[in-house]
Structure formats: C-alpha cells, structure tokens
Amino acid sequence: MNASHHTPQDNVTTIRIPGLGRELTILHVTDCHLTEYDEREPEEIRDTARSRAEAFRTQLAGEGTALGSFRRLIERASEQGEGERAGKIDFTVFTGDIIDFPSQANLETLRDAFSRLPSPYLYTLGNHDWTFGAACTDEDRQAAYPLFREWSSAVPGCEVRELDGVKLIAIDNGNYQVTQEQFDAVSEAAATGQPYLLFMHIPLYVQGLVKDVVKKWGAPIMMGAAGWDPDVREAWQVRHQDDSTGAFCRWLGSPDSGDIRGIFCGHVHLDHIDAFREGRYQYVTAPGYTNQSRLIRLIPE
C-alpha cells in the first residue's frame, strides 16, 4: 500500500515579506470531501451520500478513506513540535469542499475537528459544503448559510484575520462569483497597505492553468474563465459572470490590489502554480482526501 495515502504530504511554498517580524507557518487544506452520514438524514439524502462515498472510495482504490485523510490533516495542523517553534503551525485555512454535503454527521465531524485545533483557523465554503447536489442556486446557498454560522462573520462569505502584521482573507466563491459586498470587504482590507494572502475555493482564471483543468474536467471550471461551451456551462450550472466578479478579477490582476502576496485555492484537484500578475502567484493545492496540503512559510526579507 502506498505510504503517501497514510502520511500527509505537504507541498511547501515559501514567500518572503519585507519587514515581517518573525517566520510564520500556515497550513492550507482544501477538498477533503467528507461523506459522513447516518440515519438522521432522509432516505433520499442517504442514497446520495452513499453514491458520493463510493465514488471517493473508488478514487482511493481501497487505500484509505476521506475521513482518515481528514483526521491525519487535522493532526498535522495540530503539530506544535519540540523546541522553539519547531514544526509549529501558526494558522490553518480550509478553502472549501471540506465536506461533500451538509449532513449532520459531516457538520459534527467538522465541529469536533476544529475544536481540537490549538492554533487559529479560517474555514470558507466551496461548491459542495452547502449542497447535496440537487440545488445549486444562490438562494439555496443563502438558505444553507445558517448551518455554518459559527464559522462565518458579518459579511457572508468573507473572513478577514490578522497574523502578526499579515492579513489573511478568505472568500466564498463557490458559485464562481464574488458579490460587491465581498469585493468591498477585500479591497477595504487591502487598502491598509499591509501584506495579505487571499484564500478562496475556486481558482482565478489564468492562462497557464486552462490546459490541465480542461483535460481533467472537460470544462474551464475557474472564476472569470472564458471559452465556456454553452451546453457545458449549463451542465455545470455556472451562470455568466456577474459585473462584480469581473471587476474583482481585473482588480486582482492589477497593482490596485495592493500588497497581495499570493492567492491560495483548490476545487480543480490539481497542484499548480502560476502568476496572476507580475511577481504574484496563485497556488492551487491538491485535494485533502488524497492526504495532500500546502505548507506556506512566510519569512522575513
């Protein structure tokens, strides 16, 4: 049995930040796709859950489970090491599809895991966390948000934290869109001039990512993507880009977006790095259900 299915594999990204007071370590986890369910769910939902669970078991070819991978990643996030700061995780960010659907068992698994983390964390939603697969409208997502209230703030789908002078911003773009309210919150945080990292589920469309994404999924499943076939777009339930989304994508690609030091996302189940503006990179992290994550090392320059 391949050991990689049982030991978390970190892709390490090092970013130098002028004036940073100390080295910081952030763990990025995405796409764990937990499929836990029990008799509390209606039969129709249990049938959907069984089908999804079987799909991930097939992908893992008997070498572990999504739940086992998630538990190992939580253990990884909880590592504090020995000696001064050795192995310490300062912050963990979960960027969506951590659960594959909002069953009571999945939500309880999340709640228990997050309660055991010794350091701060952020959790933003993806396109799976809030739906059982049948309903994917904005209204359905808004109706599901109360299930995640303990992890969300006053601006739905936008969380801002500060870690020793670096801002960590997480937005829910699980419907391939960014609202004007989210855009305003991000631009306000960026306007302070502090360095910041942006975390979101669906990656920003960048040309270098297109080939791999289309090869894997048969569709350009990125935020702000061009070139959608109309039938494929309908099958994926991705509507045309909102004005606020287009403005946000253009803003990220321009110097107006301030001292952004990286975009971190998931969704496409690939590991990929590409520039979204000169000197600034988007890091797509491989899925957590395969025991993979990204270790972000911020070091003083």
Side-chain angles (χ1 to χ4, degrees):
M1 190 176 291
N2 192 331
S4 67
H5 287 287
H6 298 279
T7 303
Q9 304 293 306
D10 293 330
N11 292 310
V12 180
T13 294
T14 300
I15 299 174
R16 298 179 180 275
I17 298 181
L20 190 66
R22 64 179 178 92
E23 183 175 325
L24 300 170
T25 302
I26 300 167
L27 186 67
H28 176 215
V29 176
T30 192
D31 296 276
C32 295
H33 287 282
L34 294 175
T35 55
E36 302 306 297
Y37 66 95
D38 55 33
E39 296 303 313
R40 289 175 291 178
E41 306 299 339
E43 184 176 354
E44 180 180 357
I45 287 177
R46 294 202 303 272
D47 288 343
T48 299
R50 289 189 197 99
S51 175
R52 292 292 292 171
E54 180 58 32
F56 286 104
R57 276 194 293 271
T58 300
Q59 287 187 53
L60 291 171
E63 297 187 349
T65 63
L67 179 60
S69 297
F70 177 68
R71 285 173 171 166
R72 284 185 285 274
L73 288 166
I74 291 297
E75 290 174 2
R76 177 73 181 93
S78 301
E79 288 178 2
Q80 297 299 291
E82 299 178 358
E84 187 177 355
R85 301 192 53 73
K88 178 178 172 61
I89 303 296
D90 294 292
F91 209 104
T92 305
V93 184
F94 301 89
T95 57
D97 287 6
I98 305 304
I99 59 176
D100 198 60
F101 40 75
S103 64
Q104 295 181 67
N106 264 343
L107 291 166
E108 288 173 356
T109 300
L110 277 187
R111 189 173 295 112
D112 175 68
F114 291 167
S115 72
R116 292 185 283 109
L117 291 176
S119 56
Y121 67 91
L122 274 175
Y123 168 42
T124 191
L125 306 184
N127 56 304
H128 277 278
D129 301 77
W130 54 274
T131 179
F132 285 96
C136 299
T137 68
D138 289 355
E139 291 76 17
D140 296 313
R141 182 172 70 161
Q142 196 64 34
Y145 254 101
L147 297 172
F148 303 91
R149 183 167 291 142
E150 62 197 279
W151 302 300
S152 61
S153 67
V155 177
C158 185
E159 311 294 325
V160 181
R161 302 288 189 275
E162 187 168 328
L163 180 64
D164 288 356
V166 178
K167 286 189 181 295
L168 308 179
I169 305 173
I171 59 171
D172 172 6
N173 69 340
N175 63 348
Y176 294 82
Q177 308 290 341
V178 172
T179 67
Q180 188 61 51
E181 187 179 19
Q182 288 174 313
F183 187 2
D184 290 344
V186 175
S187 58
E188 181 180 347
T192 65
Q194 290 174 277
Y196 70 98
L197 309 180
L198 178 64
F199 296 86
M200 56 193 186
H201 180 63
I202 296 177
L204 179 70
Y205 173 84
V206 292
Q207 188 60 45
L209 182 58
V210 175
K211 181 179 179 181
D212 288 345
V213 169
V214 173
K215 180 180 179 181
K216 186 174 183 67
W217 297 103
I221 53 171
M222 298 160 284
M223 184 177 70
W228 278 91
D229 177 272
D231 292 337
V232 174
R233 181 189 289 276
E234 183 176 356
W236 279 88
Q237 299 185 56
V238 177
R239 69 172 184 266
H240 288 279
Q241 183 174 275
D242 294 347
D243 289 345
S244 56
T245 304
F248 183 70
C249 292
R250 291 189 295 273
W251 180 79
L252 285 176
S254 76
D256 293 340
S257 55
D259 195 11
I260 183 170
R261 291 285 162 163
I263 297 174
F264 298 86
C265 46
H267 183 55
V268 294
H269 296 190
L270 298 168
D271 178 68
H272 186 93
I273 301 173
D274 208 346
F276 63 91
R277 70 177 239 207
E278 186 175 359
R280 296 293 185 266
Y281 294 86
Q282 175 171 261
Y283 304 87
V284 182
T285 299
Y289 72 86
T290 63
N291 271 312
Q292 297 187 73
S293 58
R294 185 176 301 279
L295 198 67
I296 307 165
R297 295 177 62 244
L298 305 182
I299 62 176
E301 184 173 72

